[in-house]
Amino acid sequence: MSARDFDTRERMHELLLGWAERQWLRRLDIAFADFLWREVPDAPPFLILAAALASHQLGRGHVCLDLQATLKAPAFALSLPPEGAGAGSSAVDALDPPALPAEVFAGLTLSQWQQALAQPLLVGAGAGNTPLVCVGARLYLRRYWQYEQDVRGAIERRLAMTTRLQLALPIAALRRTLDALFPAAVAAPADAVADWQKIACALAARSGFSIITGGPGTGKTTTVVSLLALLQALALSTPSPEPAARPLRIRLAAPTGKAAARLNESIANAVARLPLAALPQGEAVRAAIPVTVSTLHRLLGSRPDSRRFRHHAGNPLALDVLVIDEASMVDLEMMAAVLAALPTSARLILLGDKDQLASVEAGAVLGELCQRARDGHYTPATGDWLEQACGERVAPALVDAAGSALDQSLVMLRRSHRFAAGSGIGQLAEAVNAGDTARVGGIWRQAHADLALLPLVGGDEPAFKSLIIDGGVATTAAASALDRHRERDPTATASPLPQRKGYSHYLEVLREQQPAPGGDQDAFDNWARAVLRAHGEFQVLCALRRGPWGVAGLNQRIARALREVGLLPASDGWYLGRPVLITRNDYGLGLMNGDIGITLALPIAGAGDEEWILRVAFPAGDASQGIKWVLPSRLQAVETAYALTVHKSQGSEFTHAALLLPETLSPILTRELLYTGITRARAFLTVAMAGSGRLLEEAAQRQVLRASGLMAE
């Protein structure tokens, strides 16, 4: 079987329908293909195939279809297998299977495919109104080609502001302010590395577009707060006879409600800790730094049932500086909307971990922009300016005379304050991130006290229950790890590592600390805070949504296990102790996508001691430590949250995270997903594996490479 066998409309349509029946393609992709064929009935079959695949790739996060990559690895173009499915999982599998992509593309060359795309009514090469755009070997749906052009152009225009902004900077005041914000250590070691937080602030101060990236615990929030203090200090020190100084209009935003709430709390704490005593207007600077964080949708002014926003090029945002946290989660379309709504003179600062999972929607903007971050590529001129502006020297290995304008506005923070050098979690994250499978396997043999590997082959119900109830990992390796920790640290016996916890911990706090019916509201708020804090001690994470090792299957299984040991009154419906996840922003209730609440009970006023009513307690999402109590009936978009997908956990941290991997390798299991799941753990990580012991190493070799032309020459 070869490409020639499908070079008719009938055979191609039959093929696409067969792929859709097996969920290798979406019905939406087929509908798009049918639309094009109705518009141009004589369109070549391989043009229609390319269009369907380009549409399908959007659903998988790709901005375009890479024709060359598809011919080289045809299975890459389809969802093979669909998420949560295995061999024989559907009645459709019993039917005669359709041809696989490798068979369909056999004998087809890139030039032949490009020739099939030469249909001017459907495919253009740039500006125009055709539904498709082909640039070299990349095929786009027009809208996404335009987003890419808009984002690239807007970034280039902001980078072009660097020379003007640098010349306008009062270099002496800049140096003094940076020295005040980053006081030198009393006795810095001779081999001390550069202060990358200080460097990030200096470079961002002279650029209209900047990126600060780094892994967990590298100080991204602390850095950006110091940067905002620097910018405000310079703005408030405008000398006479210039117009009266005014603080910059600064807005803080994040792509999701959960990320916004987390930044809201952390930035308020960071602003309070700023060392501003040495600045002439220190407290005025502190007061001029905002601590309220919005979602991007709210910032731009989303319109119901529309892709358009209230703020756009014709109605820009009223601000001077915009900071976006968790920028890895911002898709291409949203980034285009943000850049379009920015005033021409405004600065844009992106924060995020370039190695985390990209957005669910199409595009991996931050990851693409940060491809060269690790190696620096700072020009000698930038190095000289940094020495003058902040007294920091860039290592020679990070200097590149051919460095781009983007390189000069990009800083990677390199020191983790969360994971020490000996941390197993930190080492595993680094090994996975590097795709070093030998090191990934070797880490488990080192028996780190903060790591555990738990086989769950065949389901292993006792081990599974021990993990989710008590956080237990009944392995010799875990016990020997703790022994080794204590041998290395003689004080460990007196001050041991925190104990691994499971879900029994928050349920015991719920039961033991519940106030009496006559308690006041403060007592119940304190109870809710304690339960929520205890719930954050442990979280099950998984890769899939469907299947026995996906969210749905695991939530049912966990609830049933907790009910069987008497920790829950029920496992279905609304019940005391049920944790829930908000899955859609609800601005009326002040709840955001990703918020987690716990179902508790409040006494009914004036009723007897036994009269209680269920309420769901959510953290207020700011630095106030307040509690929101919500009737379950008012929550329209929630799901049980014993198990979260790694995607949904982004932006959160847990004392003990249990990452449950499925029985077989899936397209969703990638290096980025593993890294993100691993780094959700603060103190303990348990990797529970339902399948082969090699699954972790195999997944670490699979990297998400989203097709895009954003950084193409």
Side-chain angles (χ1 to χ4, degrees):
M1 195 171 289
S2 69
R4 277 183 286 183
D5 295 310
F6 300 94
D7 203 17
T8 67
R9 177 167 177 166
E10 292 73 20
R11 289 297 310 276
M12 184 61 71
H13 192 258
E14 181 184 357
L15 174 73
L16 295 178
L17 287 177
W19 285 355
E21 285 175 352
R22 283 161 174 78
Q23 300 179 45
W24 299 353
L25 278 182
R26 303 174 299 172
R27 292 289 177 180
L28 175 66
D29 309 322
I30 304 297
F32 180 57
D34 288 341
F35 164 76
L36 296 180
W37 248 328
R38 285 196 303 272
E39 293 296 307
V40 183
D42 62 345
F46 276 90
L47 185 160
I48 301 301
L49 173 61
L53 293 179
S55 172
H56 187 67
Q57 292 296 74
L58 281 176
R60 303 175 70 200
H62 301 276
V63 175
C64 59
L65 175 71
D66 187 323
L67 303 175
Q68 184 68 67
T70 301
L71 292 175
K72 185 178 179 180
F76 169 82
L78 298 179
S79 299
L80 295 172
E83 180 190 336
S89 62
S90 170
V92 177
D93 294 322
L95 304 177
D96 291 337
L100 292 171
E103 299 172 298
V104 176
F105 290 114
L108 184 70
T109 67
L110 177 61
S111 60
Q112 290 171 335
W113 205 358
Q114 290 172 319
Q115 186 176 354
L117 295 173
Q119 166 50 263
L121 294 176
L122 295 179
V123 184
N129 57 6
T130 56
L132 300 166
V133 177
C134 189
V135 181
R138 299 190 304 275
L139 182 68
Y140 297 83
L141 272 64
R142 173 164 294 282
R143 183 154 52 90
Y144 284 85
W145 174 84
Q146 191 62 59
Y147 291 150
E148 199 171 83
Q149 301 303 305
D150 293 345
V151 168
R152 182 191 294 116
I155 291 174
E156 288 174 348
R157 288 191 293 274
R158 279 182 161 69
L159 290 173
M161 298 163 55
T162 299
T163 301
R164 175 174 60 81
L165 290 172
Q166 181 176 318
L167 290 173
L169 278 176
I171 199 73
L174 176 67
R175 178 73 179 263
R176 284 194 305 271
T177 307
L178 284 170
D179 288 344
L181 291 168
F182 298 94
V186 177
D191 60 347
V193 298
D195 188 336
W196 285 102
Q197 294 188 5
K198 193 175 185 180
I199 289 172
C201 290
L203 290 177
R206 67 170 199 168
S207 181
F209 177 81
S210 50
I211 300 175
I212 301 171
T213 187
T218 51
K220 295 185 291 293
T221 301
T222 302
T223 303
V224 81
V225 168
S226 298
L227 170 59
L228 297 180
L230 169 66
L231 295 174
Q232 289 291 29
L234 295 175
L236 292 172
S237 61
T238 304
S240 178
E242 296 293 324
R246 69 166 180 85
L248 297 171
R249 298 168 298 174
I250 299 173
R251 297 293 302 273
L252 311 173
T256 68
K258 179 67 175 178
R262 187 165 175 268
L263 179 62
N264 209 67
E265 185 167 0
S266 60
I267 207 159
N269 294 329
V271 170
R273 295 193 305 266
L274 274 172
L276 301 177
L279 298 182
Q281 304 181 65
E283 291 311 309
V285 169
R286 195 187 312 274
I289 301 174
V291 294
T292 300
V293 186
S294 170
T295 63
L296 285 173
H297 282 86
R298 173 165 277 188
L299 176 74
L300 294 176
S302 59
R303 294 177 172 176
D305 303 318
S306 173
R307 305 178 79 100
R308 299 178 181 270
F309 296 100
R310 185 164 56 85
H311 289 288
H312 45 75
N315 180 32
L317 294 160
L319 51 78
D320 302 302
V321 180
L322 175 61
V323 176
I324 300 178
D325 193 25
E326 297 289 356
S328 64
M329 301 166 68
V330 181
D331 60 86
L332 180 67
E333 182 178 2
M334 176 57 76
M335 188 62 74
V338 168
L339 287 163
L342 283 182
T344 55
S345 60
R347 301 172 189 261
L348 177 60
I349 302 162
L350 303 182
L351 301 179
D353 186 345
K354 66 181 181 65
D355 297 315
Q356 283 192 18
L357 284 166
S359 61
V360 176
E361 303 298 329
V365 179
L366 187 74
E368 289 186 75
L369 295 174
C370 293
Q371 288 175 2
R372 291 158 54 95
R374 186 173 296 278
D375 296 326
H377 298 283
Y378 300 112
T379 64
T382 295
D384 293 343
W385 183 84
L386 282 171
E387 284 196 64
Q388 181 186 12
C390 65
E392 296 293 327
R393 182 185 296 272
V394 175
L398 302 179
V399 176
D400 177 4
S404 68
L406 176 61
D407 294 330
Q408 316 313 303
S409 294
L410 205 168
V411 172
M412 179 176 168
L413 304 181
R414 299 162 190 264
R415 179 188 174 193
S416 176
H417 302 278
R418 184 194 301 177
F419 302 129
S423 164
I425 298 173
Q427 291 185 35
L428 181 62
E430 289 179 7
V432 166
N433 206 16
D436 189 340
T437 56
R439 190 180 170 197
V440 169
I443 285 172
W444 301 108
R445 294 189 291 272
Q446 298 172 22
H448 290 279
D450 58 349
L451 281 181
L453 184 64
L454 183 64
L456 293 177
V457 180
D460 200 339
E461 194 67 16
F464 175 80
K465 287 183 177 179
S466 177
L467 172 63
I468 61 103
I469 294 173
D470 300 315
V473 284
T475 64
T476 308
S480 66
L482 188 56
D483 291 340
R484 293 188 185 190
H485 169 73
R486 288 169 174 161
E487 290 172 4
R488 291 192 297 266
D489 182 2
T491 66
T493 302
S495 301
L497 289 175
Q499 184 180 359
R500 287 183 174 90
K501 294 184 175 67
Y503 285 134
S504 66
H505 175 57
Y506 92 89
L507 292 168
E508 288 166 0
V509 171
L510 185 157
R511 183 178 61 251
E512 294 169 0
Q513 298 188 24
Q514 182 174 8
D520 59 17
Q521 189 59 52
D522 285 345
F524 284 94
D525 285 353
N526 288 334
W527 175 48
R529 276 189 286 271
V531 174
L532 286 163
R533 187 164 52 249
H535 182 267
E537 293 283 310
F538 177 70
Q539 182 64 55
V540 171
L541 306 175
C542 58
L544 310 176
R545 288 202 58 81
R546 299 191 292 271
W549 296 100
V551 166
L554 284 170
N555 274 319
Q556 292 176 4
R557 189 177 172 189
I558 293 170
R560 187 167 57 248
L562 294 172
R563 179 178 57 80
E564 288 172 355
V565 296
L567 289 169
L568 290 179
S571 57
D572 298 302
W574 287 100
Y575 52 85
L576 192 67
R578 180 191 178 192
V580 295
L581 174 78
I582 300 296
T583 59
R584 187 174 65 243
N585 291 347
D586 188 329
Y587 294 110
L589 294 176
L591 297 174
M592 302 293 131
N593 184 8
D595 284 349
I596 291 177
I598 307 293
T599 309
L600 301 177
L602 295 177
I604 298 176
D609 290 353
E610 303 301 320
E611 295 291 330
W612 298 74
I613 188 168
L614 294 179
R615 293 284 193 277
V616 186
F618 293 91
D622 54 28
S624 69
Q625 299 297 310
I627 296 293
K628 295 178 183 176
W629 296 90
V630 183
L631 273 169
S633 59
R634 297 193 65 191
L635 299 173
Q636 301 302 310
V638 294
E639 60 187 37
T640 303
Y642 295 113
L644 300 178
T645 62
V646 174
H647 274 92
K648 282 292 187 182
S649 74
Q650 253 180 292
S652 300
E653 299 169 3
F654 311 96
T655 304
H656 179 193
L659 179 60
L660 271 59
L661 301 181
E663 298 169 300
T664 57
L665 198 61
S666 162
I668 293 176
L669 277 175
T670 62
R671 181 183 307 174
E672 291 81 0
L673 183 137
L674 292 179
Y675 171 82
T676 304
I678 291 166
T679 54
R680 298 313 89 201
R682 285 196 299 265
F684 299 112
L685 172 72
T686 299
V687 178
M689 303 186 59
S692 161
R694 292 286 302 169
L695 187 71
L696 188 65
E697 289 94 327
E698 292 171 359
Q701 292 181 303
R702 300 161 61 99
Q703 190 172 10
V704 175
L705 297 173
R706 292 194 166 181
S708 165
L710 183 62
M711 300 303 294
E713 298 295 333

